[in-house]
Amino acid sequence: MLPAMAKVQFCFIFLIYVLIKCESAAVDTISNEIKIKNVDRTIDISSQLVKISSKITVENNGKSPVKQFLLAVEGAAKNNVAFIGAKDSNNKDLRITETSVKGYDNVKFWRVDLKEGVNAGSTAVISCESVFTKAILPYPTAITQAEDQLVKYNGNLHFFSPYTVASQKTNVVLNTKSVESFTKVKPFLQQDGTIVYGPFTNTAPFTEKELSIHYKNNSPFLTVSRIERLIEVSHWGNIAVEEVVEIDHTGAQLKGPFSRYDYQQDQHSGPASVRNYKTLLPASASDVYYRDTNGNISTSNMKIKKDSVELDLRPRYPLFGGWRSHYTLGYNVPSYEYLFHQDNEYLLKMRVIDHIFDDMQVDEVVTKIILPEGTTNIKLILPYPVTRLPDSLHYTYLDTKGRPVISFTKKNVVENHIQDFQLRYTFPRLLMLQEPLLVVGFLYMLFLCVIIYVRLDFSIHKSEHAHKD
């Protein structure tokens, strides 16, 4: 009995050891050898998104080369991060991975892997770009039809970093002179539609100081609450794309009645409302349709450009704060531009999501890819992490076993996520004859039945003409 218990205890201790090792391998540490020499930061809050671009000069004060460093976002803003990326001095993308640091559970970290290590005593310049959604809120939360929209932004006056920052400067871009109030911490300078803070010197790690700005912002506050993107692949030369879009105006809600007469007579009426917006489709898009639950919407316009098809989508009614719209947009593209093959191996390369409108924010996108019947060895390659949904089958005309459907979803999507996915699969080319043979077989059986029906006599007694003979 004792040896058995000892084995159980040994296995339990070994399992705990393995778990601890795996956890420690996934956790990073803050290096004391790294120091941020300088940060030039620009915070663009002129739209509904917060776009922060930072030029970071990383200095190695240690004795060995540094091959990676950490980026951090404070706890108050970590749930608003939609995208974060980094580039080196040659404008080449750097690998960035979400990670964690023990003892800082309320802080979100990313590890940036440098292509060339920073030698001891040397510096490297890294450009970082981050996008935050729902970080600008209407204040007040309700306005009348004639009022401008005032919003409030709360952020961090300092560059939030796990390292000491020797010098930093922040430019806040508003694109408006109508500022109700803003944080006044010297040194600062307000000119036109910009507020400049700094330079600040020797900022300690994880320093936070509130930056609050109350200003006018009538840019479209549109949020796509959900978009379902359906891509149906055909090996007969066509790919059909259909998008079902649910869109909300998430700005200050409309207070009081709505006057369509005033809205149509005065172009300045409803400055915070959305009359129309532009959607970009691939340049080869054709057979475009735009409809809602009532049918086709004829108020839209389409303009064909050199590198895209521009749709000026105008809903049946203007969108005010708290109002929403639901529509379906579809089009066809030639498969030779997106589908490549060699023998029986195929590669589909398309966008996860297309451009819906400028400075878009999407709560959830669901992408479904319908492949031809008989497809096997399916492998999906994505440009960023998503949630893979269970595979399913789609049945349409002349299908016998059903067409495989590959689905995945991602939340908190912005324009930076307009990137290509790759889908590799195997499809025997002989299966392309399946549908034509089914049609030929059906017609053959139909004509055969007609011939049999015409040629055979199914009457119970013979006709009088036959009796006389």
Coordinates of all heavy atoms in Angstrom, one line a residue, residues 45-108:
I45 N -7.3 62.0 -31.4 CA -8.6 61.8 -31.0 C -9.6 62.6 -31.8 O -10.6 63.1 -31.3 CB -8.8 62.1 -29.5 CG1 -8.3 63.6 -29.2 CG2 -8.0 61.1 -28.6 CD1 -8.5 64.0 -27.7
S46 N -9.3 62.8 -33.1 CA -10.1 63.6 -34.0 C -11.3 62.8 -34.5 O -12.3 63.4 -35.0 CB -9.3 64.1 -35.1 OG -8.8 63.1 -35.9
S47 N -11.3 61.5 -34.4 CA -12.4 60.6 -34.8 C -13.0 59.9 -33.6 O -12.8 60.3 -32.5 CB -11.9 59.6 -35.9 OG -11.0 58.7 -35.3
Q48 N -13.7 58.8 -33.8 CA -14.3 58.1 -32.7 C -13.3 57.1 -32.1 O -13.5 56.5 -31.0 CB -15.5 57.3 -33.2 CG -15.2 56.2 -34.2 CD -16.4 55.3 -34.5 OE1 -17.4 55.3 -33.7 NE2 -16.4 54.6 -35.6
L49 N -12.1 56.9 -32.8 CA -11.1 56.0 -32.3 C -9.9 56.9 -31.7 O -9.7 58.0 -32.1 CB -10.5 55.2 -33.5 CG -11.5 54.3 -34.2 CD1 -10.7 53.6 -35.4 CD2 -12.0 53.2 -33.3
V50 N -9.2 56.2 -30.8 CA -8.0 56.8 -30.3 C -6.8 56.1 -30.9 O -6.6 54.9 -30.7 CB -8.0 56.7 -28.7 CG1 -6.7 57.2 -28.2 CG2 -9.2 57.3 -28.1
K51 N -6.1 56.9 -31.7 CA -4.9 56.3 -32.4 C -3.6 56.9 -31.8 O -3.4 58.2 -31.9 CB -5.0 56.6 -33.9 CG -6.2 56.1 -34.6 CD -6.3 56.5 -36.0 CE -7.6 56.1 -36.7 NZ -7.7 56.6 -38.1
I52 N -2.8 56.1 -31.2 CA -1.6 56.5 -30.6 C -0.4 56.0 -31.3 O -0.2 54.8 -31.5 CB -1.5 56.1 -29.1 CG1 -2.8 56.6 -28.3 CG2 -0.3 56.6 -28.4 CD1 -2.8 56.2 -26.9
S53 N 0.4 56.9 -31.8 CA 1.7 56.5 -32.5 C 2.9 57.0 -31.6 O 2.9 58.2 -31.3 CB 1.8 57.0 -33.9 OG 1.6 58.4 -33.9
S54 N 3.8 56.1 -31.3 CA 4.9 56.5 -30.5 C 6.3 56.1 -31.1 O 6.4 55.0 -31.7 CB 4.8 55.8 -29.1 OG 3.6 56.0 -28.5
K55 N 7.2 57.1 -31.1 CA 8.5 56.8 -31.6 C 9.4 56.6 -30.4 O 9.7 57.6 -29.7 CB 9.0 58.0 -32.5 CG 10.3 57.7 -33.2 CD 10.7 58.9 -34.1 CE 12.0 58.6 -34.9 NZ 12.4 59.7 -35.7
I56 N 9.9 55.4 -30.1 CA 10.5 55.0 -28.9 C 12.0 54.8 -29.2 O 12.3 54.0 -30.1 CB 9.9 53.8 -28.3 CG1 8.4 54.0 -28.2 CG2 10.5 53.4 -26.9 CD1 7.6 52.7 -27.8
T57 N 12.9 55.4 -28.4 CA 14.3 55.2 -28.5 C 14.7 54.3 -27.3 O 14.7 54.8 -26.2 CB 15.1 56.5 -28.5 OG1 14.7 57.3 -29.6 CG2 16.6 56.2 -28.7
V58 N 15.0 53.0 -27.6 CA 15.4 52.1 -26.6 C 16.9 52.1 -26.4 O 17.6 51.9 -27.3 CB 14.9 50.7 -26.9 CG1 15.2 49.6 -25.8 CG2 13.4 50.7 -27.2
E59 N 17.3 52.1 -25.1 CA 18.8 52.2 -24.8 C 19.1 50.9 -24.0 O 18.4 50.6 -23.0 CB 19.1 53.4 -24.1 CG 20.6 53.6 -23.8 CD 20.9 54.9 -23.1 OE1 20.0 55.5 -22.5 OE2 22.1 55.3 -23.1
N60 N 20.2 50.3 -24.3 CA 20.7 49.1 -23.6 C 21.8 49.6 -22.6 O 22.9 49.9 -23.1 CB 21.2 48.1 -24.5 CG 21.7 46.8 -23.8 OD1 21.6 46.7 -22.6 ND2 22.2 45.9 -24.6
N61 N 21.5 49.6 -21.3 CA 22.5 50.0 -20.3 C 23.2 48.8 -19.7 O 24.0 48.9 -18.8 CB 21.9 50.8 -19.2 CG 21.4 52.1 -19.7 OD1 22.0 52.7 -20.6 ND2 20.4 52.7 -19.1
G62 N 23.0 47.6 -20.2 CA 23.6 46.4 -19.7 C 24.9 46.0 -20.4 O 25.5 46.8 -21.2
K63 N 25.3 44.8 -20.3 CA 26.6 44.3 -20.8 C 26.4 43.3 -22.0 O 27.3 43.0 -22.7 CB 27.4 43.7 -19.7 CG 27.8 44.6 -18.6 CD 28.7 43.9 -17.6 CE 29.1 44.9 -16.5 NZ 29.9 44.2 -15.4
S64 N 25.2 42.8 -22.1 CA 24.9 41.8 -23.2 C 23.8 42.4 -24.1 O 23.0 43.3 -23.7 CB 24.4 40.5 -22.6 OG 23.2 40.7 -21.7
P65 N 23.7 41.9 -25.3 CA 22.8 42.4 -26.3 C 21.3 42.2 -25.8 O 21.0 41.2 -25.2 CB 23.1 41.7 -27.6 CG 24.5 41.2 -27.4 CD 24.7 40.9 -26.0
V66 N 20.4 43.1 -26.2 CA 19.0 43.0 -25.9 C 18.3 42.7 -27.1 O 18.4 43.4 -28.1 CB 18.5 44.3 -25.2 CG1 17.0 44.3 -25.1 CG2 19.1 44.6 -23.9
K67 N 17.5 41.6 -27.1 CA 16.8 41.1 -28.3 C 15.3 41.3 -28.2 O 14.6 41.1 -29.2 CB 17.1 39.6 -28.6 CG 18.5 39.4 -28.9 CD 18.8 37.9 -29.2 CE 20.2 37.7 -29.5 NZ 20.5 36.2 -29.9
Q68 N 14.8 41.8 -27.1 CA 13.4 42.0 -26.9 C 13.1 43.0 -25.8 O 13.9 43.2 -24.9 CB 12.6 40.7 -26.7 CG 13.1 40.0 -25.4 CD 12.5 38.6 -25.2 OE1 12.1 38.0 -26.2 NE2 12.3 38.2 -24.0
F69 N 11.9 43.7 -25.9 CA 11.5 44.5 -24.8 C 10.0 44.5 -24.7 O 9.3 43.9 -25.5 CB 12.1 46.0 -25.0 CG 11.4 46.7 -26.0 CD1 10.4 47.7 -25.7 CD2 11.6 46.5 -27.4 CE1 9.7 48.4 -26.7 CE2 11.0 47.3 -28.4 CZ 10.0 48.2 -28.0
L70 N 9.5 45.1 -23.7 CA 8.0 45.0 -23.4 C 7.3 46.3 -23.6 O 7.8 47.4 -23.3 CB 7.8 44.6 -21.9 CG 8.4 43.2 -21.5 CD1 8.1 43.0 -20.0 CD2 7.8 42.1 -22.3
L71 N 6.1 46.2 -24.1 CA 5.2 47.3 -24.2 C 4.0 47.0 -23.2 O 3.7 45.9 -23.0 CB 4.6 47.5 -25.6 CG 5.5 47.9 -26.7 CD1 4.8 47.8 -28.1 CD2 6.1 49.3 -26.5
A72 N 3.5 48.1 -22.6 CA 2.5 47.9 -21.6 C 1.3 48.9 -21.8 O 1.5 50.0 -22.3 CB 3.1 48.1 -20.2
V73 N 0.1 48.5 -21.4 CA -1.1 49.3 -21.4 C -1.7 49.2 -20.0 O -1.8 48.2 -19.4 CB -2.1 48.9 -22.4 CG1 -3.4 49.6 -22.2 CG2 -1.5 49.1 -23.8
E74 N -2.0 50.4 -19.4 CA -2.5 50.5 -18.0 C -3.9 49.8 -17.9 O -4.6 49.6 -18.9 CB -2.6 51.9 -17.6 CG -3.5 52.8 -18.5 CD -2.6 53.5 -19.6 OE1 -1.7 52.8 -20.1 OE2 -2.9 54.6 -19.9
G75 N -4.2 49.4 -16.7 CA -5.5 48.7 -16.5 C -6.7 49.4 -16.9 O -7.7 48.7 -17.4
A76 N -6.8 50.7 -16.8 CA -8.0 51.4 -17.2 C -8.3 51.4 -18.7 O -9.4 51.6 -19.1 CB -7.8 52.9 -16.8
A77 N -7.3 51.1 -19.5 CA -7.4 51.1 -21.0 C -7.2 49.7 -21.6 O -7.4 49.6 -22.8 CB -6.5 52.1 -21.6
K78 N -6.9 48.7 -20.8 CA -6.5 47.4 -21.4 C -7.7 46.8 -22.2 O -7.4 46.0 -23.1 CB -5.9 46.5 -20.4 CG -6.9 46.0 -19.3 CD -6.2 45.1 -18.4 CE -7.3 44.5 -17.4 NZ -6.6 43.5 -16.4
N79 N -8.9 47.0 -21.7 CA -10.0 46.4 -22.4 C -10.5 47.1 -23.7 O -11.3 46.7 -24.4 CB -11.2 46.3 -21.4 CG -11.0 45.4 -20.3 OD1 -10.3 44.4 -20.4 ND2 -11.5 45.7 -19.1
N80 N -9.9 48.3 -23.9 CA -10.2 49.1 -25.1 C -9.2 48.9 -26.2 O -9.4 49.4 -27.3 CB -10.2 50.6 -24.7 CG -11.3 50.9 -23.7 OD1 -10.9 51.2 -22.5 ND2 -12.5 50.8 -24.0
V81 N -8.1 48.1 -26.0 CA -7.1 48.0 -27.0 C -7.7 47.1 -28.1 O -8.1 45.9 -27.9 CB -5.8 47.3 -26.4 CG1 -4.8 47.2 -27.5 CG2 -5.3 48.2 -25.3
A82 N -7.7 47.6 -29.4 CA -8.1 46.8 -30.5 C -6.9 46.3 -31.3 O -7.0 45.2 -31.9 CB -9.0 47.6 -31.4
F83 N -5.9 47.1 -31.4 CA -4.7 46.7 -32.2 C -3.5 47.4 -31.6 O -3.5 48.5 -31.1 CB -4.9 47.2 -33.7 CG -3.7 47.0 -34.5 CD1 -3.5 45.8 -35.1 CD2 -2.8 48.0 -34.8 CE1 -2.4 45.6 -35.9 CE2 -1.7 47.8 -35.6 CZ -1.5 46.6 -36.1
I84 N -2.4 46.6 -31.7 CA -1.1 47.2 -31.4 C 0.0 46.5 -32.3 O -0.1 45.3 -32.5 CB -0.8 46.9 -29.9 CG1 0.5 47.7 -29.5 CG2 -0.7 45.5 -29.5 CD1 0.7 47.8 -28.0
G85 N 0.9 47.4 -32.8 CA 1.9 46.9 -33.7 C 3.2 47.7 -33.5 O 3.2 48.8 -32.9
A86 N 4.3 47.1 -34.0 CA 5.6 47.8 -33.9 C 6.4 47.6 -35.2 O 6.3 46.5 -35.8 CB 6.3 47.2 -32.7
K87 N 7.2 48.6 -35.5 CA 8.1 48.5 -36.6 C 9.5 49.0 -36.2 O 9.6 49.8 -35.3 CB 7.6 49.4 -37.8 CG 6.3 48.8 -38.4 CD 5.8 49.7 -39.6 CE 4.5 49.2 -40.2 NZ 4.1 49.9 -41.3
D88 N 10.5 48.5 -36.9 CA 11.9 49.0 -36.7 C 12.2 50.2 -37.4 O 11.3 50.8 -38.1 CB 12.9 47.8 -36.9 CG 12.8 47.4 -38.4 OD1 12.2 48.1 -39.2 OD2 13.4 46.3 -38.7
S89 N 13.4 50.7 -37.4 CA 13.8 51.9 -38.1 C 13.8 51.8 -39.6 O 13.7 52.8 -40.3 CB 15.2 52.3 -37.6 OG 16.2 51.2 -37.9
N90 N 13.7 50.5 -40.1 CA 13.6 50.3 -41.5 C 12.2 50.1 -42.0 O 11.9 49.7 -43.1 CB 14.4 49.1 -42.0 CG 15.9 49.3 -41.7 OD1 16.5 50.4 -41.9 ND2 16.6 48.2 -41.3
N91 N 11.2 50.4 -41.1 CA 9.8 50.4 -41.3 C 9.3 48.9 -41.6 O 8.4 48.7 -42.4 CB 9.4 51.3 -42.5 CG 7.9 51.6 -42.5 OD1 7.3 51.7 -41.4 ND2 7.3 51.9 -43.6
K92 N 10.0 48.0 -41.0 CA 9.7 46.6 -41.2 C 8.9 46.1 -39.9 O 9.3 46.5 -38.8 CB 10.9 45.7 -41.4 CG 11.5 45.9 -42.8 CD 12.7 45.0 -43.0 CE 13.4 45.2 -44.4 NZ 14.5 44.3 -44.6
D93 N 7.9 45.3 -40.1 CA 7.1 44.9 -39.0 C 7.9 44.0 -38.1 O 8.7 43.1 -38.5 CB 5.8 44.1 -39.5 CG 4.9 45.0 -40.2 OD1 4.8 46.2 -39.8 OD2 4.2 44.5 -41.1
L94 N 7.7 44.2 -36.8 CA 8.3 43.3 -35.8 C 7.3 42.4 -35.2 O 6.1 42.7 -35.1 CB 8.9 44.2 -34.6 CG 10.0 45.2 -35.1 CD1 10.4 46.0 -33.9 CD2 11.2 44.4 -35.6
R95 N 7.8 41.2 -34.8 CA 6.9 40.3 -34.1 C 6.5 40.7 -32.7 O 7.4 41.1 -31.9 CB 7.6 38.9 -34.1 CG 6.7 37.8 -33.5 CD 7.5 36.5 -33.3 NE 6.7 35.5 -32.7 CZ 7.1 34.3 -32.4 NH1 8.4 33.9 -32.7 NH2 6.3 33.4 -31.8
I96 N 5.2 40.8 -32.5 CA 4.7 41.2 -31.2 C 3.8 40.2 -30.6 O 2.9 39.7 -31.3 CB 4.0 42.6 -31.3 CG1 3.6 43.1 -30.0 CG2 2.9 42.6 -32.3 CD1 3.2 44.6 -30.0
T97 N 4.0 39.8 -29.4 CA 3.2 38.7 -28.8 C 2.7 39.1 -27.4 O 3.4 39.7 -26.6 CB 4.1 37.5 -28.6 OG1 4.7 37.1 -29.8 CG2 3.3 36.3 -28.1
E98 N 1.4 38.9 -27.2 CA 0.8 39.2 -25.9 C 1.4 38.3 -24.8 O 1.6 37.1 -25.0 CB -0.7 39.0 -25.9 CG -1.4 39.5 -24.6 CD -2.9 39.5 -24.7 OE1 -3.4 39.5 -25.9 OE2 -3.5 39.6 -23.7
T99 N 1.8 38.9 -23.7 CA 2.5 38.1 -22.6 C 2.0 38.7 -21.2 O 1.0 39.5 -21.2 CB 4.0 38.2 -22.7 OG1 4.6 37.4 -21.7 CG2 4.5 39.7 -22.6
S100 N 2.6 38.3 -20.2 CA 2.3 38.8 -18.8 C 3.6 38.8 -18.0 O 4.6 38.2 -18.3 CB 1.3 37.8 -18.2 OG 1.8 36.5 -18.1
V101 N 3.5 39.6 -16.9 CA 4.6 39.8 -16.0 C 4.0 39.5 -14.6 O 3.0 40.0 -14.2 CB 5.2 41.2 -16.1 CG1 6.2 41.4 -15.0 CG2 5.8 41.4 -17.4
K102 N 4.7 38.6 -13.8 CA 4.2 38.3 -12.5 C 4.2 39.5 -11.6 O 5.1 40.3 -11.5 CB 5.2 37.2 -11.9 CG 4.7 36.6 -10.7 CD 5.6 35.4 -10.2 CE 5.1 34.8 -8.9 NZ 5.9 33.7 -8.5
G103 N 3.1 39.6 -10.9 CA 2.9 40.7 -10.0 C 2.2 41.9 -10.6 O 1.9 42.9 -9.9
Y104 N 1.9 41.9 -11.9 CA 1.3 43.0 -12.6 C 0.0 42.5 -13.3 O -0.1 42.5 -14.5 CB 2.2 43.7 -13.6 CG 3.4 44.4 -12.9 CD1 4.6 43.7 -12.7 CD2 3.3 45.7 -12.5 CE1 5.7 44.3 -12.1 CE2 4.4 46.3 -11.9 CZ 5.6 45.6 -11.7 OH 6.6 46.2 -11.1
D105 N -0.9 41.9 -12.6 CA -2.1 41.3 -13.2 C -3.0 42.3 -13.8 O -3.8 42.0 -14.7 CB -2.9 40.5 -12.1 CG -2.0 39.3 -11.5 OD1 -1.1 38.9 -12.3 OD2 -2.3 38.9 -10.4
N106 N -3.0 43.6 -13.4 CA -3.9 44.6 -13.9 C -3.3 45.3 -15.1 O -3.9 46.3 -15.6 CB -4.2 45.6 -12.8 CG -5.5 46.4 -13.2 OD1 -6.4 45.9 -13.8 ND2 -5.5 47.7 -12.8
V107 N -2.1 44.9 -15.6 CA -1.5 45.5 -16.7 C -1.4 44.5 -17.9 O -1.2 43.4 -17.6 CB -0.1 46.0 -16.3 CG1 0.6 46.7 -17.5 CG2 -0.1 47.0 -15.1
K108 N -1.6 45.0 -19.1 CA -1.5 44.2 -20.2 C -0.2 44.4 -20.9 O 0.2 45.6 -21.2 CB -2.7 44.5 -21.2 CG -3.0 43.4 -22.2 CD -4.3 43.7 -22.9 CE -4.8 42.5 -23.7 NZ -6.1 42.8 -24.4

